[in-house]
Amino acid sequence: MTTDRAANSAGTATVTATEKTAGTDETPRAHGADSGERLRRWRMVLGADSAESTGCALTGRDAAMDGALTALYEGGGRQPGGRGGSGRSAGLGASAPSVARWLGDIRTYFPSSVVQVMQRDAIDRLGLSALLLEPEMLEAVEADVHLVGTLLSLNKVMPETTKETARAVVRKVVEKLESRLTTRTRAALTGALDRSAKVSRPRHHDIDWNRTIRANLKNYLTLPGEDGAGTIVPERLIGYGRAAQSVKKDVILCIDQSGSMAASVVYASVFGAVLASMRALRTRLVVFDTAVVDLTDQLDDPVDVLFGTQLGGGTDINRALAYCQSRITRPADTVVVLISDLYEGGIRNEMLKRVAAMKASGVQFVTLLALSDEGAPAYDRDHATALAALGAPAFACTPDLFPEVMAAAIEKRPLPVPDREAQG
C-alpha cells in the first residue's frame, strides 16, 4: 500500500524515529518473534488505513506520534493525490492554539531534523504562513534556514508586534550558521590570500619552498665526491605575502532574491558578513530582482541584511551585473560571485557580454545556481551552458564547499566543481 505519509520525506524520517524496519520493499509476513514489532513499524509508516491489513493497534507514545502525523498528512488540508478512503478528517484546524499544540507534540516525539521537515510540509500543504505572523506561533516553531526564508517572504506584511519576535528567530538561525561556518571560511581564505601573494624577498618563515625549488631546478649542482648527490642553489626565493598587510582582494556577492532562492539568500548573507570581517577583503553584497539593492553598509549584521531583502518578484541579471561591473576598480584582484538560477528576465545577450567583458579584464567570475544544502534547483540550462562556454561553469554549491570555491577563485586556480552539478 502506497500512502501519502509513506511517500513523504517526513514520513520516511519517522521510520528512523521509530527504529526503522530492516530493508525490504514488501509488507513483512508474520513470522518468528519479531513479526509483531515489524507490523507495528509498518503500521506507523503506512498510517491508519493499514490498521486492518496489519492487524496492529497503536497505544501510548506510538498512538500520539501517529496522531501528529495524521493531523498533517491525512487531514482536510491534504493535496490532490493524497490517500482517501477512511473518511477521516483530522488536520490542524485553523486556530493558532491547535497549531501550537501540534508543534509542541512533534517536538516531543520527533528529532529536530524531522520536526523541521514536518513544519515545512505544514506550511506548504495547509497554508499556515499567516499564522507565522503571530508572535506566539513563532516562539513555538523549530527555527531553521527554510523558516527564515518563509519569514523573509512575509516581511512586508508582518505586523510590528511580530517583527521583533521574527528578528529573534532569524538571529538564532544566523548565529548557528555563523558558528558553523566562520572558522572554516576564515582559515581557508586566509591561506588562499597568503598563497596568492608572492614576494621575491621573503623572510625565512614566509618562503614557499615548493615554488622556490621549482623555480631553481636549473641551478642544480652535483656535489663532488658524491655518487649522484647534489643540491639546488636558490638564486630566487619565492614566498607568501602577508595577506592582512600587503594583499587586498575585492569580493562582490551578487544574489538573486527571487522566491526560489530563499535559502541561498540566507547563506550568502551570513558568508557576506564573514568575508566583510576579514581585513584583507573588501566585500560588497548586492541583491536583485528587477531592481538592484546594495546592502554593503549593513554587512556588519547579517540579520539587517536579510530583512533588507525582498524575496519574490522578477529577475534582471543583466541590470545587476551592470551595477556590479560599475563598482569594479581593480579587475585583476576582484572576484564576482553570481548566485542565481539564471532565469533571466532582462537582456540575455547583454548579460553574457558583461560576463565575457569582466573575465577578459581579469575578474574571477563564479556562477552558483544555489548556495544551500539542497543541491541544484530548477535553472535555465541554456544560460548555464553559455556561461560555461565563457569559462564560468554554473553549479550548485553547499555551504561547506563555499570556502573552498572562494579560495580557488582568489588563487586563480580551477574551481572545485562537483561532477554531478557541473554544467557544460
Side-chain angles (χ1 to χ4, degrees):
M1 181 188 303
T2 301
T3 72
D4 202 21
R5 179 191 295 187
N8 188 276
S9 58
T12 302
T14 307
V15 182
T16 301
T18 58
E19 301 178 319
K20 182 177 177 179
T21 187
T24 176
D25 292 329
E26 298 179 357
T27 301
R29 290 170 292 182
H31 61 85
D34 293 336
S35 61
E37 177 63 13
R38 290 165 65 100
L39 288 171
R40 182 189 71 84
R41 293 171 181 173
W42 275 105
R43 166 64 180 81
M44 289 293 296
V45 173
L46 299 175
D49 282 354
S50 69
E52 183 175 348
S53 59
T54 60
C56 181
L58 300 178
T59 59
R61 186 180 179 89
D62 286 347
M65 293 173 68
D66 185 65
L69 288 165
T70 297
L72 176 57
Y73 297 113
E74 302 174 43
R78 67 177 181 265
Q79 297 298 314
R83 90 175 146 173
S86 68
R88 295 178 62 180
S89 179
L92 303 183
S95 69
S98 64
V99 177
R101 284 193 298 273
W102 179 81
L103 288 169
D105 286 344
I106 64 173
R107 294 177 73 171
T108 299
Y109 299 123
F110 301 99
S112 177
S113 59
V114 177
V115 169
Q116 292 171 4
V117 174
M118 293 178 72
Q119 285 179 172
R120 292 200 297 273
D121 287 345
I123 291 170
D124 294 340
R125 295 165 59 90
L126 304 179
L128 300 185
S129 296
L131 289 178
L132 292 178
L133 300 179
E134 300 184 22
E136 296 80 6
M137 285 296 301
L138 285 180
E139 292 170 355
V141 295
E142 185 82 18
D144 68 344
V145 169
H146 299 280
L147 177 64
V148 170
T150 301
L151 292 177
L152 296 179
S153 68
L154 297 171
N155 184 30
K156 301 305 178 184
V157 297
M158 191 176 292
E160 291 299 323
T161 55
T162 305
K163 284 190 175 180
E164 284 306 311
T165 306
R167 287 183 70 88
V169 170
V170 172
R171 188 169 299 282
K172 180 179 178 181
V173 174
V174 165
E175 288 175 351
K176 281 185 180 179
L177 294 179
E178 285 183 311
S179 65
R180 166 188 159 193
L181 302 171
T182 298
T183 301
R184 181 177 176 183
T185 302
R186 291 179 66 88
L189 298 194
T190 298
L193 288 163
D194 283 340
R195 289 187 293 272
S196 70
K198 302 176 185 178
V199 293
S200 59
R201 300 181 65 184
R203 301 176 184 179
H204 183 270
H205 62 274
D206 286 333
I207 295 174
D208 183 338
W209 289 108
N210 289 331
R211 286 203 195 102
T212 296
I213 290 171
R214 285 196 297 270
N216 291 279
L217 285 174
K218 61 183 179 181
N219 301 323
Y220 181 85
L221 297 178
T222 302
L223 296 176
E226 298 286 346
D227 185 16
T231 187
I232 292 175
V233 179
E235 291 182 352
R236 183 165 68 94
L237 299 177
I238 300 174
Y240 305 130
R242 293 190 159 197
Q245 298 176 10
S246 61
V247 179
K248 189 83 175 230
K249 294 287 185 179
D250 296 338
V251 175
I252 302 177
L253 300 177
C254 185
I255 309 167
D256 182 345
Q257 61 176 350
S258 57
S260 60
M261 303 297 293
S264 298
V265 171
V266 175
Y267 279 115
S269 298
V270 172
F271 276 117
V274 174
L275 299 182
S277 71
M278 300 178 65
R279 283 202 233 169
L281 297 176
R282 181 168 57 197
T283 304
R284 182 177 295 276
L285 189 144
V286 176
V287 298
F288 68 92
D289 41 38
T290 53
V292 180
V293 181
D294 193 326
L295 297 175
T296 303
D297 291 343
Q298 300 177 43
L299 271 176
D300 59 328
D301 187 345
V303 176
D304 286 342
V305 171
L306 288 170
F307 278 93
T309 64
Q310 184 172 350
L311 293 176
T315 307
D316 193 337
I317 303 173
N318 178 56
R319 174 177 288 189
L321 291 181
Y323 177 84
C324 294
Q325 190 176 24
S326 72
R327 296 301 184 269
I328 296 174
T329 57
R330 302 183 307 141
D333 292 318
T334 300
V335 178
V336 174
V337 182
L338 171 65
I339 304 175
S340 173
D341 54 17
L342 301 179
Y343 286 112
E344 170 66 319
I347 306 174
R348 177 182 188 273
N349 290 339
E350 287 296 317
M351 175 191 75
L352 297 175
K353 285 180 181 178
R354 289 191 192 284
V355 175
M358 281 189 270
K359 288 190 62 65
S361 69
V363 171
Q364 296 298 299
F365 196 92
V366 179
T367 311
L368 302 181
L369 299 170
L371 178 56
S372 69
D373 293 304
E374 278 70 43
Y379 63 94
D380 190 304
R381 295 181 180 274
D382 290 339
H383 288 160
T385 300
L387 287 171
L390 296 175
F395 58 98
C397 178
T398 64
D400 289 334
L401 180 63
F402 185 74
E404 187 179 344
V405 170
M406 289 300 300
I410 286 172
E411 294 183 63
K412 300 184 179 180
R413 54 182 171 84
L415 301 178
V417 179
D419 291 340
R420 293 182 181 179
E421 301 294 342
Q423 308 304 324

